[in-house]
Amino acid sequence: MERETAPRLALGGPPSASGARSLERERFDVLGTRVDAVDPEGALSRIGQWLAAGEHRYVCLTNVHAVMEAHRDERLRRVHEGAGLAVPDGMPLVWVGRLKGHRTVRRVYGPDLTLQLCEEAARSGYRCFFYGGAPGVAAQLGETFARRFPGLRVVGAEAPPFRPLTAEEDDEAVRRINAATPDLVFVGLGCPKQELWMAAHRERLHAPVLLGVGAAFDFHTGRVRQAPRWIMRSGLEWLFRLSQEPRRLWRRYLVYDARFACHLALELGGLRRYPAPADDGPGAA
């Protein structure tokens, strides 16, 4: 497996230009979904602040698919609104942010953020739990990262069944995660399931930070190939991923992306407004 290397960034280090004013949360709206105008350094700095303070937050990795899911589901839009961070995980959202005046916004790529957090967790002693993926994938991911980052404390890994859990099964899963006392819970259930799961479980889990990192589980265990970096920067990652998994992803990229482009043209042209939810979520401050 080709080993992906993310830029090395310091967890909780000096914030970048887009993340310096942590109390002045800069966001922009995309079809009614609010996205944080941050870069990777700013996102890591914010997460580091939460860990140091013991704040309980969750992070949404927001891309075109997530925006379109939220566009048709008010509940999901409010989940993004309530996130401690909803970072731009996709070049189209970065471009929209820059068009709306946020010149320093950069992509916060979920698989890179996962690597950066685990690398810093190994240095700082933070404990990690991996929840999601196909059977055996979370455990494999934990083993892979434990080898890659000596000293990383992987305190648990679990792959729930694809069907909805019963109330008793869900209570048991919460109990197991809390008993492991993680600081970071990486959730790989896919969009929108992982966002809904984090919001529903935020008050029940003791871990300070939950992160919905989706395909990072499959990328870092070698189950799915990642696009080359130049393709990511060009905004053509969707085409690469479609070529890898056409049967699973054709609707997302050929239908959802076309709808996104149409709605975005209406929004940017001033022909239609997409109001965002009120600032009443736990991550609004």
Side-chain angles (χ1 to χ4, degrees):
M1 177 178 79
E2 181 180 351
R3 186 170 178 175
E4 285 292 325
T5 302
R8 184 170 173 177
L9 302 172
L11 184 64
S16 60
S18 67
R21 297 184 299 277
S22 62
L23 296 180
E24 298 178 19
R25 187 175 178 187
E26 293 187 27
R27 295 191 286 181
F28 57 94
D29 291 354
V30 185
L31 308 188
T33 296
R34 287 203 176 107
V35 181
D36 285 273
V38 295
D39 57 17
E41 295 91 339
L44 279 171
S45 178
R46 190 80 59 84
I47 293 168
Q49 292 169 15
W50 299 339
L51 289 167
E55 295 185 35
H56 286 199
R57 305 285 181 138
Y58 64 88
V59 179
C60 294
L61 280 296
T62 308
N63 54 22
V64 169
H65 179 217
V67 168
M68 292 308 296
E69 290 285 356
H71 174 67
R72 67 187 185 90
D73 186 343
E74 174 69 17
R75 179 182 54 156
L76 188 59
R77 202 181 324 167
R78 291 192 174 276
V79 166
H80 279 81
E81 181 67 24
L85 279 172
V87 300
D89 183 8
M91 289 308 299
L93 300 194
V94 172
W95 296 331
V96 172
R98 291 175 181 171
L99 280 173
K100 294 192 173 188
H102 300 280
R103 305 305 302 172
T104 60
V105 66
R106 286 166 48 212
R107 185 183 187 186
V108 183
Y109 180 48
D112 281 357
L113 183 64
T114 303
L115 289 178
Q116 291 153 358
L117 284 171
C118 287
E119 182 178 15
E120 290 299 329
R123 293 194 187 96
S124 304
Y126 291 121
R127 300 156 64 93
C128 299
F129 195 107
F130 299 97
Y131 184 84
V137 170
Q140 182 185 353
L141 184 63
E143 293 168 1
T144 298
F145 283 170
R147 289 192 301 269
R148 181 166 183 175
F149 305 115
L152 181 65
R153 303 172 71 185
V154 177
V155 296
E158 186 169 325
F162 289 115
R163 60 169 174 78
L165 299 184
T166 66
E168 293 77 12
E169 289 172 331
D170 190 56
D171 288 344
E172 280 298 305
V174 168
R175 185 195 62 75
R176 287 191 297 271
I177 295 172
N178 284 337
T181 64
D183 300 293
L184 296 156
V185 178
F186 295 92
V187 185
L189 299 175
C191 177
K193 187 176 179 180
Q194 64 193 13
E195 288 79 15
L196 295 169
W197 187 92
M198 290 190 298
H201 291 80
R202 177 57 287 182
E203 297 304 316
R204 300 174 62 193
L205 293 173
H206 302 157
V209 182
L210 316 178
L211 302 106
V213 297
F217 279 44
D218 287 336
F219 288 150
H220 291 315
T221 54
R223 291 169 57 87
V224 177
R225 287 180 59 200
Q226 288 183 263
R229 294 284 163 168
W230 70 268
I231 290 181
M232 293 185 192
R233 290 191 294 270
S234 72
L236 294 175
E237 186 180 3
W238 68 271
L239 188 58
F240 180 89
R241 291 205 62 196
L242 180 61
S243 72
Q244 298 294 303
E245 301 179 88
R247 294 182 62 182
R248 188 175 75 86
L249 296 177
W250 73 268
R251 182 178 297 276
R252 177 191 302 185
Y253 291 127
L254 299 183
V255 177
Y256 272 35
D257 282 18
R259 289 176 180 171
F260 174 81
C262 291
H263 284 294
L264 184 63
L266 292 174
E267 180 179 65
L268 294 178
L271 300 177
R272 184 169 178 182
R273 293 181 66 252
Y274 298 87
D279 287 326
D280 56 0

